[in-house]
Amino acid sequence: MPEPHLPLDICNLTHRFAKADDDVLYNINLALEPGEFVAILGPSGCGKSTLLRAIAGLVTPDYGCIRIGGEIVVASGREKRPAEARQIGMVFQDYALFPHMTVHENIAFGLTHQQTKMNKAEKETRVLQLLELIEMQNFADRMPSELSGGQQQRVALARALAPKPQLLLLDEPFANVDTNLRQCLGEQLQMLVKQEGVSVLMVTHDRQEAFALADKVAILDNCMGSAKIVQCDTPENVYQQPANQCAAELSGPALLLDADAKGLKAETLLGEITLLNPSKGKSKIVIRPEMAKFSKNTLGNAKVIARSYQGKNYRILCETEFGKVLAESNDATPPALGTVGLLNIDAPCWVLPS
Ligand code: ADP
Ligand code: MG
């Protein structure tokens, strides 16, 4: 049986804007499996939107090749397929709904302006189906200005999904909704894309968003002015075994502790630590808050300067000789602010690859 085509396959993509000194994107390689949800996580301004725009056909990259569903859409700076013929749905960061069109008209727009084989009755059925899926049947005649941020986002999503694209691109889809709504919209999004069977590439600077939704997280690191993917793996692997400092810091709170490694042991200011990966000489060890345990001890040199209740236990921020460290409390009662104690690392740790 022939292999199914990858919904997205990017090879060696590089782009530089006119008059810029550096490449905004450098040698990007990324592939999506059918039905996969990949999140690109990177700091603001690193080139996330530019990458999505290149895939959608709104920016022509200078070098490299993009295949969508096995077909080359752009290669070596030449467009092979224009944006409207790429079978892509895109939700922009500000949603970009048409302000003069109703919710119904906005969703139907995707069907009239993309190449689709649906007749008029099928198109109407599809719009009604999407209104139901986003639970907005009663809002069909509203204008975008009469909707909340979360509702606008759902309409933008429905408009993008209407022509049944093989690939959905999401640009910071939750940036404009509050935290409570974010989780609820995230769950709806996850159900909707699985139901529709569409592959998704989302870009975000928010790790919680990326980790909550994606099957894989790709870290876009801004190395000396150019963005490069330094790791693409499951959320668990990115969190537990980050490829470099940027991946460690973007994927969660991390103390990067100096160490002198000898195989699977390392000497540090927190004592001897067991390592997950063998290493030699001067190294940086990744300490996540749940690996650092604080216990009250008048001889200790860590001082509690803040604490927050996490449901199961308290996360505490300590001032230490090597800076501020997030840890968890070992004691039955949470330590008061100003308490002095010892930090102890009780799990094997990951050494950043050099
Ligand atoms: P992100 O989405 O990660 O915040 P962008 O892709 O929007 O980042 O932008 C990456 C960099 O490219 C920024 O420095 C931005 O100023 C620059 N940039 C974006 N669009 C253009 C453009 N059309 N012309 C020139 N520079 C641009
Ligand atoms: Mg952006």
Side-chain angles (χ1 to χ4, degrees):
M1 252 194 18
E3 289 270 312
H5 290 304
L6 294 177
L8 176 68
D9 192 6
I10 303 177
C11 293
N12 306 327
L13 185 141
T14 294
H15 184 64
R16 180 178 298 202
F17 285 114
K19 297 185 198 146
D21 294 334
D22 296 305
D23 297 328
V24 54
L25 300 167
Y26 179 72
N27 205 25
I28 303 282
N29 288 284
L30 184 72
L32 254 71
E33 298 289 334
E36 201 172 35
F37 192 134
V38 173
I40 294 187
L41 180 61
S44 284
C46 78
K48 301 182 296 297
S49 295
T50 305
L51 178 57
L52 284 195
R53 292 169 68 81
I55 299 167
L58 306 172
V59 164
T60 307
D62 299 333
Y63 302 101
C65 171
I66 302 177
R67 282 191 181 81
I68 294 173
E71 234 179 289
I72 295 180
V73 296
V74 60
S76 310
R78 279 166 198 238
E79 296 284 346
K80 308 280 183 196
R81 269 182 172 254
E84 62 277 13
R86 289 192 182 189
Q87 280 191 284
I88 280 179
M90 181 151 175
V91 176
F92 294 90
Q93 187 167 346
D94 59 1
Y95 313 138
L97 293 176
F98 301 111
H100 58 289
M101 291 186 192
T102 64
V103 165
H104 185 288
E105 287 164 347
N106 263 284
I107 299 175
F109 179 88
L111 293 172
T112 36
H113 288 78
Q114 283 236 1
Q115 292 175 0
T116 124
K117 294 191 182 81
M118 287 184 219
N119 65 32
K120 206 173 165 200
E122 285 166 338
K123 284 178 184 171
E124 181 59 19
T125 307
R126 179 69 175 150
V127 174
L128 296 179
Q129 182 196 16
L130 281 157
L131 279 168
E132 194 177 328
L133 279 173
I134 60 167
E135 294 173 13
M136 287 187 62
Q137 302 96 311
N138 300 333
F139 294 80
D141 297 326
R142 292 256 188 118
M143 303 306 283
S145 60
E146 297 166 329
L147 303 175
S148 71
Q151 289 169 333
Q152 288 181 34
Q153 194 241 32
R154 275 146 59 200
V155 175
L157 192 60
R159 182 178 66 180
L161 288 172
K164 302 194 176 173
Q166 53 182 325
L167 178 64
L168 178 66
L169 305 176
L170 303 173
D171 195 345
E172 312 247 9
F174 304 106
N176 299 318
V177 288
D178 65 55
T179 325
N180 289 339
L181 196 58
R182 211 171 272 196
Q183 185 166 353
C184 171
L185 285 173
E187 286 159 6
Q188 279 188 348
L189 169 69
Q190 234 173 354
M191 278 194 303
L192 202 56
V193 297
K194 291 289 172 209
Q195 214 162 337
E196 292 275 311
V198 63
S199 313
V200 186
L201 182 65
M202 171 176 92
V203 300
T204 177
H205 68 276
D206 183 324
R207 91 184 136 84
Q208 278 166 342
E209 220 162 272
F211 277 42
L213 296 171
D215 302 312
K216 277 195 202 138
V217 174
I219 301 285
L220 196 60
D221 185 2
N222 197 346
C223 313
M224 292 178 288
S226 301
K228 207 172 167 2
I229 291 181
V230 291
Q231 188 169 17
C232 180
D233 210 330
T234 59
E236 294 86 347
N237 284 350
V238 172
Y239 185 78
Q240 291 163 14
Q241 306 186 357
N244 69 359
Q245 181 169 343
C246 172
E249 290 174 345
L250 276 177
S251 58
L255 163 68
L256 300 179
L257 188 64
D258 286 320
D260 187 16
K262 287 188 190 73
L264 284 173
K265 296 276 173 205
E267 286 304 325
T268 75
L269 282 174
L270 291 174
E272 192 181 74
I273 288 179
T274 307
L275 303 178
L276 279 173
N277 46 339
S279 191
K280 217 172 131 192
K282 292 216 173 305
S283 329
K284 292 253 183 230
I285 293 183
V286 183
I287 312 275
R288 299 294 190 188
E290 60 278 7
M291 298 169 164
K293 303 288 186 219
F294 175 89
S295 10
K296 211 164 145 180
N297 187 324
T298 46
L299 298 176
N301 46 14
K303 188 167 141 192
V304 178
I305 54 171
R307 64 175 208 198
S308 68
Y309 182 53
Q310 301 280 311
K312 189 165 151 233
N313 52 16
Y314 278 83
R315 186 155 283 191
I316 54 176
L317 182 65
C318 300
E319 185 88 70
T320 70
E321 61 202 288
F322 41 87
K324 294 192 173 99
V325 182
L326 271 172
E328 280 180 359
S329 170
N330 247 352
D331 302 323
T333 49
L337 299 192
T339 305
V340 171
L342 283 169
L343 283 178
N344 170 47
I345 307 300
D346 70 350
C349 296
W350 178 249
V351 180
L352 281 187
S354 45

